[in-house]
Amino acid sequence: METERTTVDKNGKKRNTAYESDVEYTGFFVEWIKFYLPEDPEQRSRAWELALLPSKERNPQFPGGSEYKTLKILWSAEKPLMKKEIKAERGMPETIDRLLEKGLVEERKGQYRRYRPLLSEVDFHAAVIREILSRMDERKNAVISMVGQQIGETWLSNV
């Protein structure tokens, strides 16, 4: 059964609702991917390269905004950090428990508990992009191309 694709709004203007929902859906995925992309161009390119390779690795659960900020602090550290060190970097140490549950960080016990990410930043971003793309249907190539254009990675348009 075919559904109605064109509607008329209250001002008498015709609208293609199927097209508009496709644009909103595609835009949502573009913004989602851009949120998780590394800022460094080399890391961003490497994350995309890894994301587009076939992989049997488990994709991580998505961290929320404050959890992601804590992960960024841990990635930038040269050594595992204590919760008070995370807080000193304007992180939210209370997110550590959620990151542990999601399998994104590990806890090292000793005199003080220290935390470090289980994935490198590039591997994490590649896994997130892979997971986002796995949730998409035929619009996947359009999203990859749109993200590539917006972040200056023109080679993504040829994927």
Side-chain angles (χ1 to χ4, degrees), residues 16-30:
N16 182 336
T17 54
Y19 170 77
E20 288 174 8
S21 65
D22 280 355
V23 170
E24 288 173 18
Y25 177 83
T26 303
F28 167 75
F29 280 104
V30 167

Side-chain angles (χ1 to χ4, degrees), residues 3-18:
T3 59
E4 188 66 38
R5 297 176 68 86
T6 305
T7 60
V8 178
D9 67 15
K10 65 182 179 183
N11 298 322
K13 181 179 176 187
K14 284 188 178 181
R15 296 177 55 183
N16 182 336
T17 54

Side-chain angles (χ1 to χ4, degrees), residues 106-156:
E106 84 174 349
E107 180 179 67
R108 291 192 174 173
K109 295 180 182 175
Q111 183 177 1
Y112 300 103
R113 293 175 187 224
R114 296 181 181 271
Y115 304 90
R116 72 171 192 87
L118 286 172
L119 292 172
S120 72
E121 187 172 7
V122 169
D123 289 338
F124 170 79
H125 288 107
V128 167
I129 293 167
R130 192 179 310 115
E131 176 64 20
I132 292 169
L133 294 176
S134 76
R135 296 179 182 200
M136 301 184 67
D137 53 19
E138 69 277 352
R139 299 177 200 122
K140 180 164 99 175
N141 289 339
V143 168
I144 292 171
S145 180
M146 287 173 68
V147 171
Q149 290 171 2
Q150 291 184 18
I151 65 171
E153 297 285 345
T154 54
W155 66 271
L156 287 172

